[in-house]
Amino acid sequence: MRIFIFFLFCLLTVMPVLAETVQISVQRDKPESISNFEAGVTHTQYSLDSWGDQAAIERAKALLKAGARFQNQHIMGWGAGNPEPSPGVYDWSRLDERLKIIRESGGTPVITLCGAPDWMKGGQSGQTDWTKLETAPLPEHYQDFANLAAQVARRYPNVRHFQVWNEMKGFWDAKANNWNYQNYTRLYNLCYDALKAVNPQIKVGGPYLVIEGTGSQKGDWSAEKPIRARQWEILDYWLKNKRGADFITLDRGIKDFHDKHNYSPAELMALTPFFGDIIRQIRTKTDLPIWWAEFYGASGASREYAAANYASCLLHSIKAGLNVALLWEPQDAGKAAFSGGLFSDTRKTEGGQALLFYDVYKALHECFSKGTPLFKTQSTSPMVEALASDKHVLLINKSEAPVTVEIEGRSSTLKAYEVKLL
């Protein structure tokens, strides 16, 4: 008996439990808003390519078809080859393969116009230096890049959504301590005109800007609240000087890339509402649909923790009116830390299996997508969040402790970091 009591004492000291039952209320009298959300993915270096295991590829295709609408591919790099290795000489082989994957898995295709062939950025015609992938085209070749964009649009007439460039790569101006947004906007406008000349129905978005500032305010600029001043400088200029746009595309990680501060799992969980705050700030400037071209929650050793963190980032985004989220790298590439993958590596015979976060992403896609009425929720604990529609409630336990939740006359127990659809 003494051994049992000692064991029980140890168990209770290492397994914290939220003592009070969390009360969740849903105001059902009228919807608070209507969801604009549509789920998507961005294929990267490793995806459902033909050299993988065929059975695994077919399993992954079925998962994508059921779990997301949009599928994005870059024109060069991130799994695609050099589309124009020499002026007027095209190689569409890899891009063709990726668009075939998107078509076979039922996706609505998106193309990101990045990167640029070497000859457009000071390299040798006919050669490809992949270490220079993130180099922007030279200003004298902006029109050449726009012409390439038009060729892409002609080759793939079913693609109606284009993002122009990626994270302003190659546009950094050290003297200004900011990105050269004037030159980026010149490139954007040329691409916009070229694409609309091919088909006015094509939808074009930019500036694919990384939103800085972790929001913790722990000391230096990297921990400031988003959106930081130099991002507003870029956004204000682009919004004023763009030729036109059909959506605005942004990039956000829960922790600023430059932020070297250490954060506990609980601190990173507390940062997820900034995803919604950013969208509401953007909405004060423009009515354009808002896309996350990339979004990153907190990775970690626990897939449960990461899934809950990513889910909370999306919950706040959806409540704030996000239109599209493109999940970077849907195929797990065997990284040490989980970073949002939906299915296991299709290069392996056992691959193409749904990972934990897939069920969360699919639930958001199926139950809270565009047109779904959303109802206001309140929680007695900041560690339990809820997203409510007319038919479903998604619960997120952001705590390392199990918790009992009472909602609309029902009681439900959530395990540590569990995301549950009721």
Side-chain angles (χ1 to χ4, degrees):
M1 175 64 75
R2 288 180 180 177
I3 294 175
F4 173 76
I5 293 173
F6 177 74
F7 172 76
L8 183 61
F9 171 78
C10 293
L11 186 64
L12 291 174
T13 58
V14 299
M15 287 185 59
V17 177
L18 293 183
E20 298 181 0
T21 297
V22 175
Q23 304 289 333
I24 302 288
S25 62
V26 183
Q27 297 183 12
R28 293 290 188 184
D29 51 336
K30 64 176 182 179
E32 183 180 37
S33 62
I34 302 297
S35 173
N36 295 317
F37 173 70
E38 294 187 277
V41 301
T42 292
H43 296 283
T44 57
Q45 182 66 29
Y46 302 106
S47 198
L48 313 181
D49 297 293
S50 58
W51 57 79
D53 181 83
Q54 287 305 305
I57 289 170
E58 292 307 315
R59 287 191 292 267
K61 285 179 181 178
L63 292 174
L64 279 180
K65 188 172 185 178
R69 177 192 170 189
F70 290 103
Q71 294 185 42
N72 174 46
Q73 175 62 48
H74 291 62
I75 61 169
M76 179 177 172
W78 296 280
N82 188 335
E84 192 179 3
S86 299
V89 178
Y90 301 99
D91 180 358
W92 304 110
S93 56
R94 287 292 296 131
L95 203 51
D96 282 352
E97 289 182 21
R98 283 296 175 92
L99 269 294
K100 182 173 182 285
I101 288 170
I102 293 172
R103 183 173 63 254
E104 291 176 348
S105 53
T108 297
V110 180
I111 284 181
T112 296
L113 298 169
C114 185
D118 291 48
W119 61 271
M120 294 186 191
K121 51 196 182 189
Q124 293 296 313
S125 175
Q127 297 183 11
T128 302
D129 182 354
W130 289 107
T131 67
K132 303 292 179 61
L133 176 61
E134 297 185 1
T135 301
L138 297 171
E140 56 265 34
H141 288 293
Y142 286 177
Q143 186 61 59
D144 292 318
F145 188 80
N147 293 342
L148 173 58
Q151 291 291 345
V152 172
R154 292 188 188 98
R155 184 165 185 85
Y156 308 108
N158 63 315
V159 179
R160 297 296 178 87
H161 298 83
F162 286 81
Q163 300 182 111
V164 179
W165 209 243
N166 173 310
E167 295 182 337
M168 293 201 169
K169 288 177 167 64
F171 284 94
W172 178 251
D173 183 345
K175 290 182 179 179
N177 193 35
N178 204 351
W179 288 267
N180 190 329
Y181 49 83
Q182 297 94 340
N183 274 359
Y184 168 79
T185 304
R186 284 178 55 201
L187 177 68
Y188 172 88
N189 283 338
L190 289 169
C191 290
Y192 179 89
D193 289 345
L195 292 168
K196 292 291 187 176
V198 173
N199 184 350
Q201 300 304 311
I202 287 175
K203 298 183 183 299
V204 187
Y208 204 137
L209 176 66
V210 178
I211 301 299
E212 295 176 327
T214 297
S216 65
Q217 297 183 304
K218 282 199 170 187
D220 65 5
W221 65 266
S222 67
E224 291 176 5
K225 285 188 175 181
I227 303 169
R228 298 188 65 247
R230 69 182 181 188
Q231 269 92 61
W232 280 125
E233 192 176 332
I234 295 168
L235 290 167
D236 287 341
Y237 182 90
W238 181 79
L239 287 168
K240 181 180 179 180
N241 294 280
K242 61 181 172 48
R243 194 91 72 223
D246 299 289
F247 57 97
I248 184 168
T249 179
L250 306 167
D251 184 328
R252 171 70 180 171
I254 196 156
K255 179 181 175 182
D256 191 293
F257 176 78
H258 299 91
D259 188 350
K260 304 306 179 185
H261 296 98
N262 292 320
Y263 293 88
S264 69
E267 286 178 315
L268 290 172
M269 279 294 187
L271 296 170
T272 61
F274 282 114
F275 279 79
D277 291 344
I278 291 166
I279 291 169
R280 283 185 283 271
Q281 290 179 68
I282 295 293
R283 185 54 65 229
T284 66
K285 297 279 186 173
T286 178
D287 292 329
L288 289 172
I290 299 172
W291 288 33
W292 287 132
E294 300 175 35
F295 67 99
Y296 301 96
S299 300
S302 163
R303 289 187 180 273
E304 288 77 12
Y305 173 84
N309 193 276
Y310 269 72
S312 183
C313 294
L314 286 169
L315 176 147
H316 289 284
S317 298
I318 292 169
K319 285 187 173 183
L322 177 71
N323 293 81
V324 174
L326 295 178
L327 181 70
W328 187 264
E329 198 170 47
Q331 174 165 296
D332 184 75
K335 297 177 181 178
F338 169 70
S339 56
L342 297 180
F343 50 84
S344 55
D345 196 335
T346 59
R347 294 171 294 175
K348 301 177 180 179
T349 56
E350 70 278 12
Q353 305 287 350
L355 300 175
L356 179 66
F357 184 59
Y358 175 78
D359 290 334
V360 176
Y361 209 50
K362 181 172 180 283
L364 291 170
H365 169 65
E366 287 187 335
C367 304
F368 299 94
S369 61
K370 186 176 181 179
T372 303
L374 302 176
F375 295 84
K376 186 176 182 179
T377 63
Q378 290 183 313
S379 172
T380 57
S381 170
M383 301 309 292
V384 180
E385 295 176 338
L387 182 65
S389 73
D390 52 343
K391 297 179 180 178
H392 299 91
V393 178
L394 187 82
L395 298 176
I396 304 172
N397 181 9
K398 299 172 70 175
S399 167
E400 63 180 351
V403 60
T404 299
V405 175
E406 287 188 358
I407 177 170
E408 299 186 310
R410 300 169 62 184
S411 179
S412 183
T413 299
L414 301 178
K415 294 178 288 187
Y417 302 127
E418 183 176 7
V419 182
K420 180 181 285 189
L421 183 69
L422 301 180

